[in-house]
Structures are given as C-alpha cells and as structure tokens.
Amino acid sequence: MKTIAAAACAAILLVSVAYAQQPDPLAPTGRWTAYTGGRAATPPMGWNSWNTFASTVDEEKVMGSAKRIVDSGLAAKGYRYINLDDGWAAQRRVSDGHLMLRADKFPSTVSRKQKTPSFKPYTDKLHAMGLKAGIYSDMGRNTCAQAWSATDEDLPKGSVAEREVGLHDFIEQDIALYFREWGFDYLKVDGCGLRDFGPHSPKVKAGQARELAPIMDLGAISRTDVAAVQDLFRRVGAAIQSNRPNGDFIYSLCIWGAANVRAWAKDVGSVSRTSDDISPAWGRLLVNYDSAVHRALYAHPGSWNDPDMLYIGAGDFDADHLTEARSHFALWAMLNAPLLIGADLRKTPDALMEILGNADIIALDQDAAGNQAVVAYDSSDLQILVKTLGSGDKAVAIFNRGSAAMDVSLQATQMKFRDDAPVELTDLWTKKQMSFTKDTKVRVAARETLIFRARGTRILADGLYLSEQPGKVNPAIDGVTRPIADPTIFRTAFGWGGTHGAGDRPQYAGWGGARADSAPYGQTLQVARKPYPAGIGILANSRLEVRNDGYRRFAANVGVDDSATDKANAVTFTVYGDGKRLAESRPLKWGMPAEPLEADISGVKLVELVARSTATENEAVSVTWGEAALTGR
Ligand code: GLA
C-alpha cells in the first residue's frame, strides 16, 4: 500500500514538475524572429519566363528579355532577377543524382571541356550584364508542369526515376548545384510534387511518376500536414543559406497560399505566394490581390507576400487595356509585391514598358521602410490603400474593382493626416499636383487605380501608429489555432478549373490573423463601443514583435474587442522591452472600457506585446491594441 502511495506521490510530483517546466509559449524572446536570411530588404524585381513561355522556355527567349531589360533602362530602375521557371530540366542522371538540363534549349551550357552541360556560362552571362539569375524547382519529386502539362513534349524524359527532377530526395545536392556550381542567385520552390502525385494522379496511374502521398491540399487545410510542409521548406532554406553564406540569395516559396503558408512564410523565406496562379483575367487579378491585401502584418523587409508575377502584356492587361495594366502595377507596388515581369519583353509595346518603368511607383514598392499598404477604406467594389513611406510621406491608391465609374471622397484622416491642414497630392501617373483640406472628390473609372504620393500634417505628431509601420510589426504568434479559409478573397470563374465542378470555394487559410486598423475578422476595431481608427487587431494568446529604432514611449489603449464572442474570459496585456516586462494591464473582459497602457522604451530595440487569456478558444477573443504607437524620439 505504502509503495503504491509513494509511487502515486512521485508520479504527481513528476507531473507537476513537468507542468512547472512547460515553457510559456508567449514568453518574450527579445529578438525579431521573422526571416531576414536573403537579399530581400526590398521586394525582388525582375523577369520570369513562365507567364509567356511556360515549358517552351529557351536561352534565346530569356536573353532577349534580359537584353531589353538592360537596353530599356528597366535594369537601372531595379529589375535585376532573370528567372527561369519550370521547363529547363531534362532529367536526373540516375548514376549520381546529377540534374541534367535541356542543353538543346540552352546552347551556352555546352562546352567541349565539360561533358556534363552546366548553367555556369549562362549565369555568368547574366551576371556580366549586371543582372542576377534565378531558377526553379519543386519540393516534391516532380514539378507542376509534370503534373499539369497537356503534352509531354517539353517535360523531362526517361525512366520514372530519371524524370524525378524535384528536390524531394536531393535537397543538399540540388541546392549546392544551383547556388555553388551553377551560380544562381534566386530559387523558386514550387509544391505540386507534394500535392499532385497521390494514388489517383493520372501520371501515377499511367506509371509515369512515383506515388508520393500528398501532404498538402489547397482545397482543405485539414488534409494538409502543415508541420511536414514547413519542415521541408525550412530544410531547403538552411541548405541555401549554407551554400550562400554571404546571404546573396532570394528564396521564393510557391505553394499558392496552401498549408497555412500565408501565416508562416514570413519566418521561412524571402517571398511567398499567397494564392493560386495569376492569369491575364481581371477576376484572377482580384483573387491574387485579395490574397495579400489584408496581410500587411505578415510582410517585412526580408520576407514579402507574393500575389504572383505581373501579367502586364497579355489578356486583360495588354496594350489595349492600359487602365487594367496600370491598376495591376500600382496595386502590386502598394502591396510590396515582387515585381517580376511575365511578358516577352522582345515584343512588349512602349506603352506597357512605360508602365513597368514608372519610377515613382517602383519607388513605393522599393521604399526602404518596407511597409505594405494598409486598407484604409474597405468594400467589395472600392478600396483605398495607404502606405507609410520612410520619408513620412504617404502613398495612397484608390482602387475601383468594379465595372462602373465611381465618385470617391478621399479624406485626410484616411491617411492619418489632420483634416484642418492641407494635404498635397501628386498623381504618380500624370505627375499632376493638387491640394485639399479635409477631403476631396475624385472620379475613378471602372477598374482604375488612382495612385498618389501624399504629404500632410500627421494626426500623431511625434511618432507612428504601429498600423502605419507593418514592416516593423511581426505577429510572431497570431493566436490562430485552427487555420480556416478566408471567405473574403474573391472567387473567380477564371480559376484553374474553369467552370467545371461546383465553383471556386474559399481556400486560403489565415482568416482571423493579425490586422492593421481592423479587427481580426474584418470588423471595426472597437472596445466598449469606442472605435479605434488606428490600432492592431489580433486574437488572444498572441505575441507581437515591434522593432524600435529610437522611440522613447510606447502607448496603447487595450481591451477585448467588441467583435469578440467570448464574454467570459479575461485578457491581460503585457508590454516587454528587450525581453523584460515593462507594463501590464489588469485582466480585461469583453465590455470593459479600454485601459491605457504605457511604457518607457528608451534604448529598447524590440518591444513585444503579449495578450494572454484564460480562454482556450483564441478565435472567440479578438483583442485591440488601440492607437498603439511609438512616440518621442
Ligand atoms: C505552378 C506555379 C507557377 C509556375 C508553374 C510551373 O503552377 O504556381 O508559378 O511556376 O507551376 O509549372
């Protein structure tokens, strides 16, 4: 009996020791944890072969566009990466796993000295032109063209094993080949190999590809092994880093918003696709744009949201659709998207080259502060986006998504400028200047995006709201415990499935993530009926990291947001400076007025904002860091 009791005591003790040792998942780390590994202090710019050439890409086509990039002056404006997409691989040599390229398509890769063709002379050529070189692979054993291409003509040839040109079992070897041996600077890693080669795949059934149990499903996050996908992408990232220790690389994740990547890519790579492929159709642009537009807090210098390549030059964005082409460009710049031209530049008309070369708009995309635009006015047909630039100026875009012209009232306060002082606007297409106080009326044509640089008198005179500087705010833990699809992203009939099947369903997880100037599910930030036009909305049990470059004071009004559905659990808000606790609120419940929270952050490099709740359902507890700001330099 005694022994049983003693054993029970020991067990209880062990359990409680283990419990006591459980690390606090919200403990401050004292360091910025979002990815800063590659050369993406600003979003990459350049060209990619896929939109125009798909798997028919060859050296002449690539070099033709590269030459025009240089000759037209686009290179001098920042377009540097010349990226080969899918279609370059011939097969994997089974004897040693070496990847063979399509030498017939890339003649510079063949030399008398070397038996095995090498891309080194090709990348040397691009480097000699002052450009950088990019290449493509897939995280599985096979690429997307191998899964989806209608013909076999341009696909890898040979046995099943020879056709396995993806990274899956060759991460170290292939990454060393791309970066060390061949001299590439940019790698896009696609994901069809992780998704499309299950037992029902036509290629697998036909004996053309080996089965790989799918670990990712764009249509269902619950059928996705997020941790396994993440692990593979981290391994590739580590391999790139060790093959390019000087950090001169771009690591591009291409899993189209699947596997909850819109939440974690910011910790893993330089750019990450937030949606399925763009096509030259207006509806498709809306999908891709929507997949990134509410995700400003998930983009920072080093790691950017990627709504896919530019389709300027084709379909709804060709030279007969300059309004749409300009919108595409302006919106991508406001989103801090990679600016990767997808057109055959050998043939691109001057009117489109002018759009791609608009230096004032490029400057918004490339602004060093790295703040993706925040939605200042949101509706299904009209949006106003505002981006805070390093200079303190604002960029503002007024986007008419619909098919009829609209009269819009632009307000100074939407830019967080005072409405009793003049606001100067410069139209970045026409260069016309205008000035207004309080508000001004503008007419925006169907599908048009007006885009301005704006200067005014700030409402917050001596600092910045956190929602004005999303590039410095990282939702390290955003509280989302059960990723579900975002219902607000436009669903178009121009998706990959066309109008087959039952339609385009919501599919991009991330709903309920951290938002600038909005509650997590899109409502107005509001605590006990008091609205907060500025602030961060996030779920409970979350931790935000905020970079501080010299401000002395943090202040916010904190509380449980009126949009929360849990009225029982209290939330405690804590401010840390470089890992040390600086200030804490009382436990606050739904309906209680917001409480002011202030901290002296002099000399602090990293502020962390933690909202702890007794709730286990974080999704039911939206919290507001109202008017959260860094002030006083
Ligand atoms: C996927 C990607 C595209 C392109 C193709 C290549 O569809 O999303 O951007 O790389 O594969 O096959």
Side-chain angles (χ1 to χ4, degrees), residues 377-427:
Y377 177 89
D378 209 359
S379 71
S380 295
D381 41 21
L382 187 106
Q383 286 167 316
I384 300 177
L385 307 183
V386 175
K387 170 199 249 286
T388 306
L389 302 169
S391 63
D393 286 0
K394 299 276 182 174
V396 54
I398 309 174
F399 176 31
N400 182 351
R401 301 162 61 105
S403 50
M406 289 180 90
D407 289 315
V408 176
S409 157
L410 174 67
Q411 296 167 358
T413 52
Q414 285 164 334
M415 290 169 258
K416 299 194 166 50
F417 287 150
R418 291 171 61 118
D419 60 8
D420 56 359
V423 176
E424 314 286 339
L425 292 180
T426 306
D427 182 318

Side-chain angles (χ1 to χ4, degrees), residues 292-293 295-296 333-336 371-375 385-388 395 470:
V293 73
R295 309 289 292 177
M334 291 298 280
L335 292 175
N336 285 7
N371 296 317
Q372 178 178 320
V374 168
V375 183
L385 307 183
V386 175
K387 170 199 249 286
T388 306

Side-chain angles (χ1 to χ4, degrees), residues 50 85-86 136 144-145 188 190 254 256 273 277 309:
W50 184 254
D85 208 279
D86 204 351
Y136 164 101
C144 284
K188 169 174 170 181
D190 218 342
C254 180
W256 341 281
R273 285 275 299 280
D277 292 8
M309 297 164 287

Side-chain angles (χ1 to χ4, degrees), residues 106-278:
F106 295 89
S108 77
T109 64
V110 187
S111 78
R112 255 180 284 132
K113 277 189 273 157
Q114 235 181 337
K115 246 182 47 215
T116 304
S118 163
F119 266 125
K120 188 68 181 27
Y122 164 96
T123 62
D124 282 348
K125 197 155 46 160
L126 289 173
H127 290 148
M129 293 165 79
L131 301 168
K132 296 272 188 186
I135 194 161
Y136 164 101
S137 189
D138 193 288
M139 194 55 97
R141 296 194 183 106
N142 300 95
T143 72
C144 284
Q146 289 180 292
W148 295 105
S149 181
T151 76
D152 280 356
E153 205 181 317
D154 291 293
L155 301 183
K157 300 282 185 302
S159 66
V160 166
E162 283 170 325
R163 278 186 271 121
E164 291 182 350
V165 296
L167 283 165
H168 201 264
D169 309 306
F170 294 90
I171 292 179
E172 299 300 330
Q173 182 173 352
D174 289 359
I175 298 297
L177 178 69
Y178 297 150
F179 286 91
R180 262 183 212 272
E181 207 173 313
W182 285 350
F184 283 100
D185 315 289
Y186 188 122
L187 176 66
K188 169 174 170 181
V189 180
D190 218 342
C192 291
L194 300 181
R195 172 186 81 167
D196 297 320
F197 294 88
H200 304 300
S201 137
K203 302 277 169 134
V204 170
K205 286 212 280 205
Q208 292 166 8
R210 190 158 34 136
E211 183 183 333
L212 184 73
I215 56 170
M216 198 165 64
D217 187 329
L218 184 52
I221 188 67
S222 49
R223 285 196 297 268
T224 296
D225 186 343
V226 175
V229 175
Q230 217 185 91
D231 180 59
L232 286 168
F233 278 93
R234 282 189 192 277
R235 279 173 53 197
V236 169
I240 298 176
Q241 183 70 54
S242 69
N243 280 282
R244 268 292 160 93
N246 68 2
D248 186 5
F249 64 84
I250 299 283
Y251 177 25
S252 157
L253 279 62
C254 180
I255 49 171
W256 341 281
N260 199 27
V261 73
R262 296 195 310 149
W264 54 261
K266 66 178 178 61
D267 305 325
V268 175
S270 321
V271 297
S272 172
R273 285 275 299 280
T274 47
S275 67
D276 207 342
D277 292 8
I278 193 164

